[in-house]
Amino acid sequence: ISFISNAKKLDGGWESSEWFGDYLPNANGWIYHIDLGWCFPVIDSQQNHWLWLEEYGWVWTTPSVWPYLYRNDTSSWIYLLQRKSGPALIFDRTYEHFLPIHK
């Protein structure tokens, strides 16, 4: 079973979602996302995706708002600038600055 519904299976155990991107699921429940790095996902039947990220705590997203993520601990929004070359970045709307993602 895929972590994301309708994800395609890729070589080496990786999966690819049209909206979420590429990630490697692990048997312990963690995933390695190509841009976010390690995160722990919790998904409900309404397609609410909660992710635990070490640097940001619990964040929420869904296909209709991705790549925006809602930070639970600060009640604010962050935006994932997906990797084209080099590391992906997070734009923190509260502090209006870009942060690198440490993987």
Side-chain angles (χ1 to χ4, degrees):
I1 283 188
S2 295
F3 154 67
I4 302 275
S5 59
N6 299 323
K8 295 180 205 150
K9 300 285 186 186
L10 303 175
D11 291 340
W14 285 80
E15 297 180 3
S16 183
S17 161
E18 281 188 23
W19 71 272
F20 190 67
D22 295 348
Y23 59 92
L24 179 65
N26 288 272
N28 63 6
W30 287 80
I31 63 169
Y32 185 82
H33 186 272
I34 197 75
D35 291 319
L36 294 173
W38 287 106
C39 49
F40 187 82
V42 176
I43 303 169
D44 69 18
S45 60
Q46 279 72 49
Q47 292 298 304
N48 288 301
H49 293 69
W50 285 95
L51 304 168
W52 170 260
L53 304 172
E54 186 174 347
E55 291 183 67
Y56 298 99
W58 285 105
V59 297
W60 171 88
T61 194
T62 193
S64 63
V65 301
W66 177 262
Y68 287 94
L69 300 126
Y70 181 79
R71 276 185 81 175
N72 191 55
D73 62 348
T74 59
S75 301
S76 63
W77 289 93
I78 56 178
Y79 180 83
L80 173 65
L81 281 89
Q82 294 160 309
R83 186 177 59 84
K84 300 290 184 216
S85 65
L89 297 171
I90 290 281
F91 179 71
D92 188 315
R93 297 194 51 158
T94 299
Y95 302 106
E96 304 230 343
H97 63 269
F98 293 93
L99 304 166
I101 297 173
H102 303 286
K103 300 191 238 182

